[in-house]
Amino acid sequence: MASLDPGPAPIRRLTRVEYNNTVYQLFGDNSQPANAFPPDEEAGGFDNQADVLVVSPLLAENYLSAAENLAATHTPTLMQQLPNCQGGGVDEAACAVDAEAFVRNFGKLAFRRPLTEDEVQTYVNLFAKGTALDQAPYSPSMGVQLVVAALLQSTNFLYRVEFGMADPSGGEVVELSSYEIASRLSYLLWNTMPDAVLFAAADADLLRDPVEIEAQARRMLDTPRAREAVRNFHRQWLHLDEIEPVILASGKDSDIYPEFYDGLPYLWRSETEAFIDHLVFEEDANVEALFTAPYTMMNAELAKFYGIDGPAGVEFTRVELDPSKYAGFMTQPGLMALFAKPDRSSPIHRGKFVRETILCQVPPPPPDNVPEPPAVDESQTTREQFAEHAENPVCAGCHALMDPIGFGFEHFDGLGRYRATEWGLPVDAAGELKGTDVDGAFNGAVELAHLLASSDQVKDCVASQWFRFGYGRFETEEDACTVDEIHAAFAASNYDIKELIVALTLTDAFRYRHAVREDSP
């Protein structure tokens, strides 16, 4: 135990997605109240990073309003759990017994752990005060409403509070409790609170056993909720959640792209999400297939955009594509259109996306005196116009890392459609990878995709991105052993995506934390 080093374990506030999902599990309420909250701050591309999830005064007001509204809406239903508190002539002593049971039962769900006796007494006293708030001489419903509103504003609801077991080993590291592990599992794999099975396992104190943790993780990955959590990761990692707002805000030049209409970005995002969902959960695919699969998911409307024969309905189904033109998610129109300009493709943005998001490499920042990009010139291809970057010393340093990658996507126009020519001129999609473990020349996005699929750096980047999403923080030096363990498990599974997710739950960083001292900040 003394050799364990689980790394940091910052307290994590519920994100808007997690808040909405938790409210749904608590009440069956699908009103999504957190949509009215200020957007969650992002760090490293993810909205669940503990260090930036602060509570502003505005968010605190939103929490108050949401808690009061939820309590008022659902108290009539919750009152069914207090049979001795209903009707006229209520026996106050019997009602108080029901109220204590309600505090224990509902409080356990809200806090994701049993309440301490002091906490129980606090909320029982609050119930008693609430019964005198209404015009009636004794109003149990107001007591329940006050308790629920207070529970939903507690830090124990809004945050995933973790102290670990009461008996530190060696004074430095403590094992997380079964209830804390249950919450870590549920928010990693489902973006919501534990279900009854996890609570039962925590009640029996089974979740301190890695074998049971793994069994629960595999059970949870086989449920529909896991699909949404995996979708949430990919939306953020691959910028899929930007496709609609960014493209609709900037638009596409109607003279150059008259086929564009506002419904296309939704179809593009849905395509990539359905493709990844199919690969991970239907094909049990490894990460290489994300880059190289010669098919996609589409419906009739999207097939019309592609200009191919496809399914007849609105449902997204698998459609084989020309493997000489298409490979995996990177040649799908959503990302190609997102990383493009309103009037043309953008080798810069496409290359930057690969360098930062797929390789986890951050190019140096641009200089202050960045020249304006050239205007569209129908006598030149986009590649020819941007050749200046290689010649201009102001631009060359950064663009040497991005443009040679981005040129590989030049067969895809600003809408992400495959093209052989631009303005009647032949497209040159030759490119080059530098500064990677698969350096070399390639011709076109398909060859690039296969190079990236074979890269250990890319696979390590995928694992690192899952670490950041799953643990709500960036890696530190203390995490070296944990990161190595995750990467080794990923490699041993032939880079199976679901096995990578399971591996996240089996590390020391997942099961332990440094002891919280009274003098800790």
Side-chain angles (χ1 to χ4, degrees):
M1 180 75 71
S3 63
L4 292 176
D5 195 347
I11 186 172
R12 295 175 64 178
R13 173 175 67 74
L14 298 186
T15 66
R16 295 199 303 173
V17 168
E18 291 167 344
Y19 186 101
N20 283 335
N21 291 345
T22 303
V23 164
Y24 178 76
Q25 295 304 121
L26 278 175
F27 303 106
D29 186 308
N30 201 27
S31 63
Q32 300 187 318
N35 289 356
F37 298 173
D40 294 319
E41 293 290 332
E42 290 188 2
F46 296 112
D47 66 5
N48 65 351
Q49 303 298 286
D51 287 346
V52 297
L53 288 178
V54 299
V55 176
S56 66
L58 176 58
L59 182 55
E61 290 181 13
N62 291 152
Y63 283 151
L64 170 63
S65 177
E68 290 179 342
N69 290 336
L70 289 166
T73 299
H74 296 288
T75 289
T77 301
L78 295 173
M79 283 297 296
Q80 297 174 15
Q81 300 178 34
L82 293 81
N84 292 308
C85 297
Q86 301 182 40
V90 171
D91 182 332
E92 295 186 19
C95 180
V97 173
D98 282 1
E100 180 177 336
F102 172 79
V103 165
R104 292 183 184 277
N105 295 333
F106 186 81
K108 178 182 177 181
L109 296 176
F111 286 6
R112 282 88 68 180
R113 60 161 175 80
L115 275 62
T116 66
E117 290 305 312
D118 285 345
E119 289 171 333
V120 169
Q121 192 57 53
T122 294
Y123 288 103
V124 167
N125 292 342
L126 192 59
F127 170 82
K129 291 181 180 179
T131 60
L133 290 179
D134 208 352
Q135 293 181 351
Y138 184 75
S139 179
S141 65
M142 284 302 299
V144 168
Q145 185 171 328
L146 194 61
V147 166
V148 172
L151 287 168
L152 296 183
Q153 293 175 77
S154 170
T155 54
N156 291 284
F157 172 75
L158 298 172
Y159 289 86
R160 291 159 54 185
V161 179
E162 298 171 341
F163 289 103
M165 302 297 290
D167 51 344
S169 178
E172 293 296 329
V173 173
V174 293
E175 187 179 9
L176 294 180
S177 73
S178 283
Y179 292 104
E180 291 164 345
I181 291 293
S183 282
R184 284 200 171 190
L185 283 168
S186 63
Y187 283 101
L188 167 62
L189 299 172
W190 286 345
N191 290 328
T192 191
M193 62 181 283
D195 66 349
V197 176
L198 275 176
F199 269 120
D203 290 341
D205 200 21
L206 298 177
L207 295 179
R208 294 160 62 194
D209 180 355
V211 174
E212 180 66 17
I213 293 173
E214 181 176 356
Q216 290 289 349
R218 295 188 182 280
R219 172 186 74 86
M220 297 167 73
L221 277 172
D222 285 337
T223 66
R225 290 185 204 169
R227 293 181 180 235
E228 178 55 34
V230 171
R231 192 175 299 123
N232 186 28
F233 166 77
H234 286 97
R235 278 179 188 147
Q236 297 187 64
W237 172 44
L238 298 178
H239 304 271
L240 305 182
D241 54 358
E242 298 176 20
I243 290 175
E244 288 169 87
V246 171
I247 293 176
L248 291 177
S250 60
K252 294 292 180 178
D253 190 312
S254 58
D255 291 332
I256 298 175
Y257 304 118
E259 305 88 348
F260 178 77
Y261 60 97
D262 287 351
L264 278 175
Y266 168 78
L267 291 174
W268 294 337
R269 177 181 57 80
S270 298
E271 173 192 12
T272 304
E273 289 181 355
F275 169 76
I276 293 171
D277 184 88
H278 178 83
L279 274 174
V280 174
F281 292 100
E282 304 300 333
E283 298 291 334
D284 226 5
N286 65 12
V287 75
E288 293 182 8
L290 285 178
F291 291 88
T292 62
Y295 61 84
T296 190
M297 305 291 286
M298 65 174 66
N299 62 8
E301 188 176 358
L302 190 59
K304 181 179 179 181
F305 169 80
Y306 267 88
I308 63 175
D309 292 330
V314 297
E315 297 297 323
F316 281 73
T317 59
R318 175 169 167 167
V319 175
E320 302 298 320
L321 298 173
D322 184 343
S324 69
K325 298 178 178 178
Y326 300 97
F329 68 89
M330 289 203 307
T331 59
Q332 292 171 358
L335 289 175
M336 291 293 94
L338 175 64
F339 297 110
K341 295 292 187 179
D343 55 3
R344 62 177 150 198
S345 63
S346 177
I348 303 167
H349 290 91
R350 292 170 176 178
K352 184 173 184 285
F353 166 74
V354 172
R355 184 69 68 180
E356 290 186 340
T357 303
I358 308 301
L359 287 161
C360 290
Q361 297 175 352
V362 181
D368 294 333
N369 55 338
V370 176
E372 288 292 325
V376 172
D377 181 352
E378 296 186 16
S379 69
Q380 292 182 298
T381 65
T382 299
R383 183 189 186 111
E384 290 170 337
Q385 286 191 278
F386 281 84
E388 177 190 353
H389 288 158
E391 303 166 0
N392 188 332
V394 176
C395 307
C398 294
H399 287 280
L401 297 173
M402 299 181 293
D403 292 13
I405 299 175
F407 288 141
F409 296 104
E410 275 301 284
H411 277 304
F412 296 90
D413 67 12
L415 291 189
R417 295 172 304 184
Y418 189 88
R419 63 186 179 183
T421 63
E422 182 183 12
W423 310 123
L425 304 170
V427 167
D428 179 2
E432 185 178 7
L433 277 172
K434 300 177 182 178
T436 75
D437 60 336
V438 288
D439 283 357
F442 61 86
N443 190 354
V446 172
E447 289 188 13
L448 171 60
H450 281 78
L451 278 175
L452 293 172
S454 68
S455 166
D456 288 338
Q457 280 181 300
V458 168
K459 292 160 186 168
D460 287 348
C461 179
V462 173
S464 295
Q465 300 283 17
W466 266 107
F467 178 101
R468 296 163 189 172
F469 178 80
Y471 290 7
R473 60 179 179 84
F474 272 68
E475 315 93 302
T476 68
E477 292 182 3
E478 297 173 274
D479 295 307
C481 291
T482 293
V483 170
D484 288 346
E485 186 180 346
I486 292 170
H487 289 182
F490 193 27
S493 71
N494 191 29
Y495 302 101
D496 183 279
I497 297 166
K498 287 199 288 188
E499 291 302 317
L500 168 61
I501 299 171
V502 171
L504 292 173
T505 71
L506 301 177
T507 67
D508 291 341
F510 193 83
R511 296 176 51 226
Y512 297 90
R513 65 159 296 139
H514 289 289
V516 178
R517 301 298 181 193
E518 290 185 5
D519 57 352
S520 296

